[in-house]
Amino acid sequence: MTDLWPRVEPLLAQVERPARYLNHEWGSGVKEDADFSFCMIYPDTYELGQANQAVRILMNAVNATENLRAERGFLPAVDMCDLMRAEKLPLFSLESCAPVSEFDVVGITLPHELCATNVLEVLDLAGIPVLSADRAEEDPIVLGGGPCAYNPEPFALFFDAITIGEGETATPETLQLIRSLRKQGASRREILVALAKLPGTYVPSLYRWRSEEEAQAAGCWIEPLEEGLPTLIEKRVFEGFAESWGWEPCVVPYTEVVHDRLNVEVLRGCARGCRFCQAGMMYRPVRERSADNIVESVIKGLDETGYDEVSLTSLSTTDHSQIADILTRINSYCDGKGVRISIPSQRLDSFGIELAELVAGQKKGGLTFAPEAGTQRLRDVINKGVTEENLFSAVDAAFSSGWRRCKLYFMIGLPTETDDDIKGIARITQQVLERARKIVPPEQRGSIQVGISCAVFVPKAQTPFQWDGQIAPEEAMRRVNLLRHSIKFRAINVGWHDPKTSFVEAVMSRGGREVSQWVYTAWTKGARFDAWTELFNQQAWIDAADELGIDSAAIAQASYETEYVMPWSHISCGVSTKWLAHERKKATAEKTTPDCTFGPCSGCGACQSVGIENQLSEPRTKNELLGLSEGEIAVEQEVNHE
């Protein structure tokens, strides 16, 4: 492969954070004994991508496979992108500084909807045709995967194939198939047809996109253009997760990155059933690694990397049936070593202040609670399973135990929300502040901080709320202002997500293949780095919709009956559409559904679909700690700002 380093090095003095583009970090390297190359790309800057666990997992899985070599790639920051174009320097891999276009296969993860234009920026900067239809025989096969793959249509024009589900076994298997076919002299189309027959793989170019009328009549939006192709693509699941070792070799970066610490995944999946949560649906069933596995992995990882912080990651870490034992043993090992432990997602019923103490030790930063909605009625609608009593009990215990900072997370625009629900956010937040002031000694009350963070609800594919529309950006701001004016205490800070970016996110989440053309046109008009507030180009998206005649507001905001066939009906996350529709009807009736890992099966169909049941190290039980009932709590260390 071509070594681009002699051309890259002179540019580094002209850009911010040149360490983004250096290789040779501790733990990195190039596998020499391989004849087939794969570049794994995160479509954003190094600081964000290097912290992504999917990149690490897939890199290790590919490099552990005979004949396959994997390297990393990231999208340069804006200054470097522009400089590289001016110098006609193509996008390069990090390990060997080789042109991405010279790899056999390029994989791009899709972590969120707002990365769409960055995918195009990656391909264009690499010199790979942005549209899959324009690629020649010698061009790399471009693969996609990740959370956004569960509605792949907004990305359909850009990828040769998209993997649905978990990639530990699927990605090496896909690469081996491409390698074998290439050696046999297969054409690009023959390779794509073979990939389309591989479980969990979707090849958009091999399917005709039907009109809405056709799709509703046929019950599916896609029609195969080749015989023998599936019309339902079911997700892949890594069956060996629970038994796999939690420690995986990782790269320790030279420069500071987001979540710069050792990450050990303790479990995968969540069955809490929050009706707005896509991750809770698509990662089922629940699979736990054992306490011994986790503790040994943490010890090995800290010894190997030198990190002074470890994060036990998952969608619901404190739901782990052995979490108290895990934290106690890790704390014992870390005692006196200056190592901090953090948990990104905690719940009050399984967490409690005792476990908060185990996580924070003597250094109490801030606590984050996520009631999500301001009234019990709306919390029941979304199946949150949190009461005001839970929240107030948690606040009382936390401030009594020495915490002084508290943030509350809510969503605005949830289905059935009213102004009373918005005012409820103000009411319970003010009660939190009042309770804190009563508990904290008078001389310390000046250190109390209570804040609100509001996100605009985005209807996600594969969830019970997929049929519900998003409120208009103008209405979102009206509700934000209603909340601000309902807050009586100036000491409460209110923050909110930009409704304009949430609107684009909703169109990407709910749209069909026509949205792929919208993304392409917006990119040609200058849209890129849309997740970066200061770089978001709203006008590019507006102009693109006008040029194409697309009613983007209708895509984001339309609501449907549950019988309506959505544009991702050909993609299965394991949870049945019938169950999602049933949950949507229960939401209307304000009825909740219990977590099946604590009780009977809820009938979602995930275990039956993938052939794996929930795998728990021990039976899960509720309310063992301090007698606390359901709720949610998160520890935010001073070094973390999540």
Side-chain angles (χ1 to χ4, degrees), residues 151-153 209 221-222 510-513 564-570:
N151 177 16
E153 296 308 328
W209 188 251
W221 284 81
I222 60 170
R510 305 187 83 217
R513 196 169 293 188
Y564 185 85
V565 179
M566 301 303 285
W568 48 87
S569 62
H570 49 290

Side-chain angles (χ1 to χ4, degrees), residues 153-284:
E153 296 308 328
F155 299 90
L157 297 180
F158 319 125
F159 287 97
D160 295 311
I162 298 174
T163 299
I164 312 300
E166 298 168 5
E168 282 95 334
T169 55
T171 300
E173 182 180 335
T174 300
L175 297 180
Q176 289 283 41
L177 175 60
I178 298 171
R179 174 181 176 272
S180 175
L181 292 171
R182 279 265 175 88
K183 285 187 173 296
Q184 296 171 31
S187 68
R188 191 177 193 88
R189 184 172 180 82
E190 289 171 334
I191 292 173
L192 295 183
V193 170
L195 289 176
K197 296 177 181 179
L198 193 66
T201 307
Y202 177 51
V203 180
S205 64
L206 297 181
Y207 296 87
R208 182 179 75 87
W209 188 251
R210 290 172 166 146
S211 68
E212 182 176 26
E213 184 179 355
E214 285 182 289
Q216 297 308 312
C220 183
W221 284 81
I222 60 170
E223 180 183 3
L225 298 175
E226 296 268 351
E227 289 187 9
L229 300 184
T231 54
L232 181 67
I233 294 86
E234 299 181 277
K235 74 173 181 183
R236 295 288 298 270
V237 172
F238 177 36
E239 297 182 8
F241 175 82
E243 294 76 32
S244 64
W245 202 20
W247 157 248
E248 293 188 70
C250 64
V251 171
V252 181
Y254 288 134
T255 186
E256 185 178 358
V257 299
V258 176
H259 311 315
D260 193 7
R261 59 204 178 205
L262 174 67
N263 293 300
V264 175
E265 189 177 11
V266 301
L267 67 89
R268 190 169 291 180
C270 175
R272 289 279 176 167
C274 297
R275 291 172 178 140
F276 57 81
C277 182
Q278 185 184 58
M281 302 298 160
M282 69 189 189
Y283 286 115
R284 298 184 181 206

